[in-house]
């Protein structure tokens, strides 16, 4: 029994879509921390914020991306690392969410493997082709990508043209 007289008792929160682990692994564009250190540090932060279940979201964008964290093999390795780490005793329940970019055709076998092996708890589909979703205005998407990927406008426009082929 726990005497909770005068205390607040609240349910734990579930974060069903968090890319925080990616930010822990890559806190700066030129730095990369080990997955286990990132995992433990994030767990400590989340427990202090009242989160009891986290869905670590990994974006499966493909190998043409500059962002190492979103390449097919990298995502596969991060998922395996998290699955191993969560087998130990922890403060939180750790789940895995894959965000699959629909233009990443090379990523299909990875998604199939994740599903067939029961490696993920959640799968969502993203469509960042020009004129879709949050980027209905192409100029907004161009500026965003230029800033995030440090590319010229010409490079971004070529990249977006490639996406339209799907």
């Amino acid at each position: 029994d726990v005497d909770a007289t005068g205390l607040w008792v609240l349910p734990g929160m579930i974060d069903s879509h968090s890319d925080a682990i990616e930010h822990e692994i890559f806190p700066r564009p030129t730095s990369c921390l080990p997955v286990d250190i990132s995992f433990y540090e994030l767990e400590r932060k989340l427990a202090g914020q009242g989160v009891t279940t986290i869905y670590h979201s990994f974006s499966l964008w493909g190998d043409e991306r500059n962002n190492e964290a979103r390449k097919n093999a990298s995502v596969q390795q991060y998922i395996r690392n998290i699955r191993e780490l969560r087998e130990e005793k922890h403060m939180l329940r750790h789940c895995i969410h894959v965000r699959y970019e629909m233009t990443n055709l090379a990523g299909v076998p990875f998604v199939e493997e994740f599903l067939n092996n029961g490696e993920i708890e959640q799968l969502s589909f993203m469509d960042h082709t020009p004129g879709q979703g949050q980027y209905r205005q192409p100029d907004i998407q161009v500026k965003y990508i230029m800033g995030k990927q440090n590319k010229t406008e010409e490079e971004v426009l070529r990249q977006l043209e490639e996406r339209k082929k799907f």
Side-chain angles (χ1 to χ4, degrees), residues 16-18 55-61 96-104 111 114-115 120-128:
S16 64
H17 177 101
S18 174
Y55 282 76
H56 297 288
S57 298
F58 293 99
S59 296
L60 199 64
W61 272 86
I96 299 171
H97 170 204
V98 168
R99 300 168 57 214
Y100 172 71
E101 180 62 38
M102 294 177 63
T103 58
N104 179 11
V111 172
F114 298 149
L115 293 171
I120 61 175
E121 285 76 26
Q122 186 172 320
L123 173 66
S124 60
F125 297 89
M126 301 185 302
D127 183 2
H128 288 92

Side-chain angles (χ1 to χ4, degrees), residues 34 42-44 61-62 74 78 80 86 88 132 142 156:
L42 180 59
E43 182 176 67
R44 185 186 63 78
W61 272 86
S74 295
Y78 297 140
R80 289 184 176 154
R86 75 182 187 183
E88 302 168 11
Q132 299 297 314
V142 169
V156 172

Side-chain angles (χ1 to χ4, degrees), residues 52-151:
T52 56
T53 301
I54 180 77
Y55 282 76
H56 297 288
S57 298
F58 293 99
S59 296
L60 199 64
W61 272 86
D63 296 333
E64 72 284 346
R65 298 276 301 190
N66 291 343
N67 187 337
E68 187 64 32
R70 295 182 173 190
K71 292 184 177 184
N72 295 328
S74 295
V75 169
Q76 182 183 48
Q77 188 58 52
Y78 297 140
I79 289 171
R80 289 184 176 154
N81 292 145
I82 297 297
R83 288 180 57 78
E84 285 178 23
L85 289 165
R86 75 182 187 183
E87 293 304 314
E88 302 168 11
K89 188 172 182 176
H90 288 285
M91 296 181 282
L92 310 181
R93 180 171 174 247
H94 295 269
C95 301
I96 299 171
H97 170 204
V98 168
R99 300 168 57 214
Y100 172 71
E101 180 62 38
M102 294 177 63
T103 58
N104 179 11
L105 298 180
V108 171
F110 290 87
V111 172
E112 288 175 338
E113 183 178 332
F114 298 149
L115 293 171
N116 290 336
N117 296 338
E119 294 180 89
I120 61 175
E121 285 76 26
Q122 186 172 320
L123 173 66
S124 60
F125 297 89
M126 301 185 302
D127 183 2
H128 288 92
T129 52
Q132 299 297 314
Q134 70 193 69
Y135 298 116
R136 292 192 193 281
Q137 297 175 313
D139 58 320
I140 293 172
Q141 187 175 21
V142 169
K143 289 176 186 173
Y144 177 78
I145 294 171
M146 287 173 62
K148 284 298 249 185
Q149 297 181 22
N150 195 28
K151 291 186 176 186

